[in-house]
Amino acid sequence: MNKTGKRLLTFFVGIPLILLIVYCDYMNHLPLHITIGVMAIIAANELYNMLSPKVPLFSKKVVIILSSLLPYITYLFILAGMSLELTPWFFLIDCLILMGLECFHAKQFENSVAKIAYSMLIIFYTGFLITFLSRLTSLENSKIVITLFLLNVFICDSLAWFFGILFGKGTRGLIAASPNKSLVGFIGGIASSIGASIGLKLLFPDVIVTSYTKLILISFLTALASIIGDLIESVFKRSCNVKDSGNIIPGRGGVLDSIDSVVVSAPVFYICYHFWF
C-alpha cells in the first residue's frame, strides 16, 4: 500500500478510535489521559532521538520521565479537584531540576547552556504543551468540547493535505520549512475546520452556546495554530536531517508527526475557550 493509502486508512480508522476514547469519560476521561501520557512518552523519545546526534542533552531517561510526569500530574490535579494553574509550577520544577543536575553532576561545562536549553525544549514541547489537551477534560460538556477541538485540528490537517494534492500545485514552495505544503491547502484546511465547527454547533446548540462570530474566530485561530504546529515540527526535522520522527503510524511516521498540530493548537484553543465560551 502506498503512502496515500496508508494515510487514508489511518484517517478513517484512527479518528473514530480517538473519538471513541474521548467519549469514554470514566473517571474524568481516564482512557484519554492514559493515551495522552503514552503519547508524551513516545513523542519525547522521538524528539530526543532526533536531537541527540546534533546537540548535547541530559540522559534520555531523565528527559522522558520529566516530560511524561506533566500530563499525568495534570490528571491527578483534575481528579483531586485542584487548580490546574499548578501545572506550570511543575514545569518550572522540571527546569530547576535540570539546572540543579548540571550543577552537581557535570564535570565539564562548555556545553551546559545548550544541554539545559535543548532538554527543556523537549519537556516543554512534548510534556507541557500537551497538558492543555488534558485541561479540556475538566470543562463542562468535555466530550463535546474535546470533539470540537479535535475536529478543528484533524479536519484542517487532513483537508489541507487533500486540497493541496488536488488544487495546490501552483501555490507550493512559499514556506521554506515545508515546501510541499501549499497556500491553497492551508486555506482549504482552515475553511473546512470552520465549517465543521458550525456543523457541530448546529448539532449541539445547547452545548456550544457561543456566537457564530466567536466560534468562527476560535476555529480560525485553532486551525492556524495547527498549521503552525505542523510547520514547527518540519523545522525540527529539517534541522536534524530526518524525514519522519518515527515509523509507528502508517502513512504518518512517528507519534510526533501525528500530534505536532495538537500540541501547538491545544493551548490556543484552551485560552480562547476560557475567555469566549
Side-chain angles (χ1 to χ4, degrees):
M1 184 182 296
N2 60 25
K3 186 173 182 178
T4 299
K6 290 178 180 178
R7 186 174 182 128
L8 290 172
L9 179 64
T10 299
F11 177 83
F12 287 111
V13 174
I15 289 183
L17 178 61
I18 292 171
L19 291 178
L20 180 64
I21 292 173
V22 168
Y23 272 76
C24 181
D25 57 356
Y26 172 72
M27 289 184 66
N28 288 94
H29 295 274
L30 175 61
L32 179 60
H33 285 286
I34 292 174
T35 303
I36 292 171
V38 171
M39 288 192 299
I41 292 171
I42 298 174
N45 180 68
E46 290 177 349
L47 186 54
Y48 189 100
N49 291 339
M50 286 168 54
L51 292 174
S52 57
K54 297 283 186 179
V55 299
L57 294 166
F58 285 89
S59 73
K60 181 184 288 189
K61 185 181 296 185
V62 168
V63 173
I64 290 177
I65 288 174
L66 292 179
S67 297
S68 59
L69 278 177
L70 292 172
Y72 285 123
I73 286 173
T74 302
Y75 176 55
L76 292 178
F77 289 159
I78 293 170
L79 282 181
M82 298 171 66
S83 172
L84 295 180
E85 300 309 314
L86 295 173
T87 301
W89 295 12
F90 276 84
F91 172 64
L92 175 61
I93 290 171
D94 280 359
C95 296
L96 295 175
I97 288 173
L98 290 182
M99 289 187 283
L101 286 174
E102 189 66 6
C103 292
F104 292 105
H105 288 279
K107 304 300 182 183
Q108 298 178 341
F109 303 100
E110 60 269 18
N111 293 320
S112 292
V113 173
K115 184 179 178 183
I116 294 170
Y118 283 111
S119 298
M120 284 182 181
L121 172 64
I122 296 175
I123 296 169
F124 173 76
Y125 187 69
T126 64
F128 178 67
L129 290 181
I130 205 170
T131 63
F132 285 90
L133 178 56
S134 303
R135 289 174 182 232
L136 295 179
T137 65
S138 67
L139 300 175
E140 188 178 357
N141 298 309
S142 57
K143 291 184 288 187
I144 303 301
V145 174
I146 297 170
T147 299
L148 174 63
F149 167 66
L150 293 178
L151 271 181
N152 273 277
V153 176
F154 292 154
I155 292 294
C156 179
D157 180 64
S158 298
L159 291 187
W161 170 79
F162 177 76
F163 283 113
I165 291 291
L166 290 183
F167 310 112
K169 291 183 179 179
T171 59
R172 292 177 183 172
L174 300 177
I175 299 178
S178 189
N180 288 328
K181 300 290 194 306
S182 68
L183 180 60
V184 169
F186 292 152
I187 294 172
I190 292 173
S192 299
S193 290
I194 293 172
S197 296
I198 293 173
L200 198 65
K201 178 175 173 62
L202 293 174
L203 287 174
F204 301 100
D206 296 332
V207 176
I208 305 176
V209 295
T210 191
S211 68
Y212 281 101
T213 300
K214 290 181 179 178
L215 182 65
I216 290 171
L217 187 56
I218 193 174
S219 297
F220 171 79
L221 292 174
T222 302
L224 181 62
S226 73
I227 290 171
I228 294 172
D230 182 56
L231 294 175
I232 288 172
E233 210 238 340
S234 294
V235 170
F236 289 166
K237 291 190 292 187
R238 288 183 178 278
S239 178
C240 297
N241 296 319
V242 298
K243 183 178 180 181
D244 295 315
S245 65
N247 55 9
I248 294 177
I249 302 175
R252 300 284 304 184
V255 166
L256 200 59
D257 295 315
S258 298
I259 67 168
D260 51 3
S261 297
V262 173
V263 297
V264 175
S265 58
V268 174
F269 180 88
Y270 180 82
I271 291 169
C272 292
Y273 191 92
H274 178 75
F275 284 105
W276 291 342
F277 275 63

